[in-house]
Amino acid sequence: MSSHNATAPYYFVPGPSKWPLFAGISLLVTMIGASAWVNDASWGPAVNFVGLAAVIAVLYFWFGDAIKESESGQYSQRIDHSYRWSMAWFIFSEVMFFGAFFGALFYARTITMPWLGDLDHKFIWPDFAAHWGNTGPAGVVESFKTMGPFPIPTINTALLLTSGLTLTISHHALRAGHRAQTAIWLFATVLLGAVFMGFQAYEYMHAYSELNLKLTSGVYGSTFFMLTGFHGFHVTMGAIMLSVVLYRVLKGHFTPENHFAFEGAAWYWHFVDVVWLGLYVVVYWL
């Protein structure tokens, strides 16, 4: 909900939409391509990029439909409440999503690893050292080096924390009715997110080429890339959402009183910030 014409006397119910189906298909294609890519399939990168392009196209048309509905005065205050509850529950589902991966990391690191190194298992694997980041007791994983917090993860932490600050400044500017300042600070937020993703891409290349750290590097490699990779995907989606909001700011779609599209994207971005802080401490430091 974002239009300044939020006075419709009824509760707007949109017609059937094809975009959820297309979004699911495009995300499936993206993940198939990504899985093939990390397993060295020659067709993996092409399929991955086709899937990403399809995701962006779906978001473009899906967002476009919602924007047309909003700007045509279809939405009321009750729609605003529905959007707020929907976004809150969506973010809660994302908390559970990342909670599952953090739980897997905790279980592998705190429960399974000491169990494999106890006295009973010394008879089976006498040379196994139960420290986090090992190659496993069976010796089937190639040697690798673990990822430390310096310098890129620490730089990325500073970037995301700064982006949260610039987004908050942009929101205050919007509430004060200063559209130019809103756009400037929002653009800075998107730019910081893009730089974050650039550093993460470099970190992955460094991990593969210099540390021999891969998705196949035992439980350490799988949890590292699953957590940081899905977080990076969420940063990308958040940056796309904020880019759409920036376009709408420049078009004058928002007022100080009605701008939930901005607020919803901001909630999502701050959630991504918080998840990264957890990743930074648990994955890189501990």
Side-chain angles (χ1 to χ4, degrees), residues 155-219:
I155 293 173
N156 271 348
T157 301
L159 288 170
L160 273 191
L161 290 177
T162 304
S163 73
L165 176 62
T166 57
L167 183 58
T168 301
I169 295 173
S170 178
H171 190 199
H172 282 288
L174 177 58
R175 289 171 62 90
H178 303 310
R179 186 169 20 144
Q181 293 182 24
T182 301
I184 291 170
W185 289 107
L186 188 55
F187 174 77
T189 304
V190 174
L191 182 61
L192 288 168
V195 174
F196 174 94
M197 289 307 301
F199 273 119
Q200 186 163 8
Y202 176 81
E203 179 187 58
Y204 276 14
M205 290 187 291
H206 168 72
Y208 264 72
S209 62
E210 299 182 35
L211 303 182
N212 199 36
L213 177 59
K214 304 175 181 178
L215 191 60
T216 56
S217 297
V219 68

Side-chain angles (χ1 to χ4, degrees), residues 57-79:
V58 168
L59 291 178
Y60 175 82
F61 290 110
W62 200 351
F63 287 167
D65 287 350
I67 292 169
K68 290 176 183 177
E69 293 166 357
S70 175
E71 292 305 304
S72 63
Q74 302 268 20
Y75 293 169
S76 65
Q77 195 63 37
R78 287 185 294 175
I79 293 291

